[in-house]
Amino acid sequence: MFRTRNWKKKVSKIERSEAENIPEITDDQTRNPFTEILLLSCHKNIVHLLMVIDDRILASAADDNTAVLWDVQTGKRLHILQGHSRPITCMLVLNKHQDISSDDSSLLLLTGSSDKIICVWNIEDGLCLRTITEHNSSVKCLVSMKEENVFFSGGQDLCLWDEQGNLLHKLERKLEHSDIHTVLPIKNSRVITASNKSSLAVYHIVRQSSNNCLQIELFKKLSPQRESIRCLISVADSMFASASLDGAIVLWSTLSLSYTGQMNYMKNYEGTDHMFPYSVQHLFAVDQRYIFASIGHGFFVYDALSGRCLAQVKAAHSGKIVHSLLLCNGFLLGTCSEDGAIRLWGSQCPVVVENCSQASEIEKFLGLSLKEVLKAKEPIEPTLLGECLAHSGTVHTAVDCGLEGFASCGSDDLVILWKNGALQRQRRNETLRQVLFFENCY
């Protein structure tokens, strides 16, 4: 008890110290293009998931047991997908070549839920084409494996399905007390699975010689990390990364399935606490090399080849950063936080690479050539360029909608479209010109 109280006091002291260093907006946000918003109100509970279907349609899913399809340009509600009896926990889009219905004229949306079923939806008309019930436990994740023309669902068990939604094999995990929350396909018909435990499991698909059927088999369990694994991502064809509650980010080889490196390792680690300030909440990778990590209240950019931290803002928000993404073709990083804000980060002087069509994502974000980035002796600190304030609670995730801007969702039951103000004004002016032209003609 004495150690726990001291640890909580230490955590509070760290958080108070970092809160004093959080950057504030000091200008009129000239680098923030998202000056108009559309509030999309339909859900009756917390919205956790967003998915871009194509350049026209956005899907959202919430704890009210429904998913909604929206028109990205206008914000118009297209369809409400009602079929689940409990919150939707995951979504997956299958393209025309992975159609699991008799009608191959449209994309399909799969939704998994804690009600133990998977619903298959026609995106064009919003109709439920099929309800898959054989998963038999809460569905925590859905992912396709294109090389085998199959998809997986994860939860208490790991299930393998064909393109028609038929169950090929179910691997029961009766002795495991933690559900699979992420399934990551890699080379050689293998998948990596992560649960709220400290180790990863590798499974592979085997074709039985007797009946030519596919089957899932456990291939290997990887060396455990110090705490439970929160994130699992692909970095490149030859590399994937996992991150845990203690802040450590581990790199693995997809070929040998062995440990190859580690970043953000804390030597003086004292154990976890629900207030632990340096847990990893989110990871994503760009250029098959650079890892963006949301850690505690800040974000960090690591070079997976050297293990160096290339850029960082240790105190970016007053709450933990839940999700982050690159926007504006890579020139801005958006960070979504428990404090209800979405903040935009980048370089004050992006001119260095703006005219270079061959610039990498890391060059565009940091406003420097790759040579300059790698030569820097200390981590570069990106500048706070804008702030998007409209949510009244935690911002759970955001997705890039290209020219249309981006979308976010949160605990306030809202989906918000953040629109490029200049593009919106241009569209209104064009509409006005067309109206005036029509009136003059008559």
Side-chain angles (χ1 to χ4, degrees), residues 31 286-287 289-290 292 301 310-311 326-333 345-375 380 382:
R31 292 288 312 284
V286 300
D287 300 330
R289 176 173 177 176
Y290 306 105
F292 285 71
V301 183
L310 302 179
L326 287 176
L327 300 167
C328 295
N329 197 30
F331 284 97
L332 295 177
L333 175 73
W345 307 84
S347 170
Q348 278 283 21
C349 306
V351 187
V352 178
V353 294
E354 264 184 355
N355 297 322
C356 180
S357 60
Q358 301 301 318
S360 65
E361 298 278 14
I362 199 70
E363 289 175 315
K364 288 186 284 188
F365 172 56
L366 297 178
L368 298 169
S369 68
L370 184 56
K371 185 177 181 180
E372 291 173 312
V373 171
L374 298 178
K375 280 180 63 178
I380 299 163

Side-chain angles (χ1 to χ4, degrees), residues 120-410:
V120 183
W121 308 90
N122 185 317
I123 291 172
E124 291 302 318
D125 57 22
L127 296 178
C128 184
L129 301 175
R130 183 171 182 183
T131 299
I132 301 172
T133 60
E134 293 93 337
H135 186 87
N136 290 331
S137 65
S138 180
V139 186
K140 296 296 179 66
C141 57
L142 291 166
V143 65
S144 63
M145 178 179 277
K146 295 180 180 179
E147 64 179 285
E148 295 287 352
N149 295 320
V150 296
F151 69 94
F152 287 88
S153 61
Q156 173 60 41
D157 302 322
L158 183 63
C159 297
L160 178 67
W161 313 85
D162 67 12
E163 294 178 340
Q164 287 71 44
N166 298 311
L167 181 63
L168 299 177
H169 187 242
K170 177 188 288 188
L171 185 74
E172 296 185 350
R173 302 167 62 251
K174 293 180 179 179
L175 300 179
E176 300 289 345
H177 301 291
S178 181
D179 289 355
I180 293 172
H181 61 70
T182 307
V183 176
L184 178 67
I186 59 170
K187 291 180 175 180
N188 301 322
S189 299
R190 296 171 182 167
V191 293
I192 314 295
T193 63
S195 61
N196 290 322
K197 287 197 168 185
S198 60
S199 60
L200 300 169
V202 184
Y203 297 92
H204 64 164
I205 299 176
V206 177
R207 189 173 295 276
Q208 300 298 308
S209 57
S210 58
N211 53 17
N212 203 36
C213 292
L214 297 180
Q215 187 170 324
I216 309 169
E217 292 185 0
L218 177 64
F219 183 75
K220 184 179 183 180
K221 285 196 173 183
L222 305 187
S223 302
Q225 294 182 222
R226 198 160 45 183
E227 288 293 345
S228 61
I229 294 170
R230 305 288 296 274
C231 308
L232 176 64
I233 63 165
S234 173
V235 179
D237 289 342
S238 61
M239 185 191 313
F240 63 96
S242 59
S244 52
L245 188 65
D246 62 328
I249 301 170
V250 176
L251 299 174
W252 307 86
S253 165
T254 57
L255 183 62
S256 64
L257 297 173
S258 59
Y259 163 95
T260 61
Q262 189 164 236
M263 299 169 292
N264 198 48
Y265 183 79
M266 297 180 65
K267 292 182 179 179
N268 300 321
Y269 177 67
E270 299 185 38
T272 62
D273 185 274
H274 72 286
M275 292 293 290
F276 190 72
Y278 297 124
S279 61
V280 179
Q281 284 82 238
H282 184 247
L283 290 179
F284 73 92
V286 300
D287 300 330
Q288 300 191 63
R289 176 173 177 176
Y290 306 105
I291 297 174
F292 285 71
S294 300
I295 303 175
H297 294 216
F299 66 87
F300 301 77
V301 183
Y302 294 99
D303 179 1
L305 296 186
S306 66
R308 286 182 54 214
C309 179
L310 302 179
Q312 65 181 28
V313 176
K314 292 183 177 180
H317 286 263
S318 59
K320 286 183 179 180
I321 297 176
V322 180
H323 185 87
S324 61
L325 75 166
L326 287 176
L327 300 167
C328 295
N329 197 30
F331 284 97
L332 295 177
L333 175 73
T335 52
C336 308
S337 172
E338 292 176 339
D339 61 16
I342 302 169
R343 296 190 133 192
L344 305 175
W345 307 84
S347 170
Q348 278 283 21
C349 306
V351 187
V352 178
V353 294
E354 264 184 355
N355 297 322
C356 180
S357 60
Q358 301 301 318
S360 65
E361 298 278 14
I362 199 70
E363 289 175 315
K364 288 186 284 188
F365 172 56
L366 297 178
L368 298 169
S369 68
L370 184 56
K371 185 177 181 180
E372 291 173 312
V373 171
L374 298 178
K375 280 180 63 178
K377 294 182 179 179
E378 297 293 331
I380 299 163
E381 186 163 341
T383 303
L384 177 61
L385 300 175
E387 197 167 39
C388 299
L389 300 174
H391 284 289
S392 60
T394 299
V395 185
H396 288 293
T397 192
V399 291
D400 184 16
C401 299
L403 291 176
E404 295 300 331
F406 74 98
S408 62
C409 65

Side-chain angles (χ1 to χ4, degrees), residues 79-142:
H79 303 290
I80 301 176
L81 311 183
Q82 295 177 313
H84 290 287
S85 60
R86 299 201 65 185
I88 294 173
T89 52
C90 53
M91 295 190 288
L92 173 67
V93 173
L94 294 181
N95 60 35
K96 295 176 183 178
H97 302 293
Q98 295 172 284
D99 201 338
I100 64 173
S101 78
S102 58
D103 178 12
D104 61 355
S105 62
S106 64
L107 295 174
L108 298 176
L109 176 67
L110 276 62
T111 55
S113 167
S114 52
D115 63 7
K116 305 180 182 181
I117 68 173
I118 300 168
C119 289
V120 183
W121 308 90
N122 185 317
I123 291 172
E124 291 302 318
D125 57 22
L127 296 178
C128 184
L129 301 175
R130 183 171 182 183
T131 299
I132 301 172
T133 60
E134 293 93 337
H135 186 87
N136 290 331
S137 65
S138 180
V139 186
K140 296 296 179 66
C141 57
L142 291 166

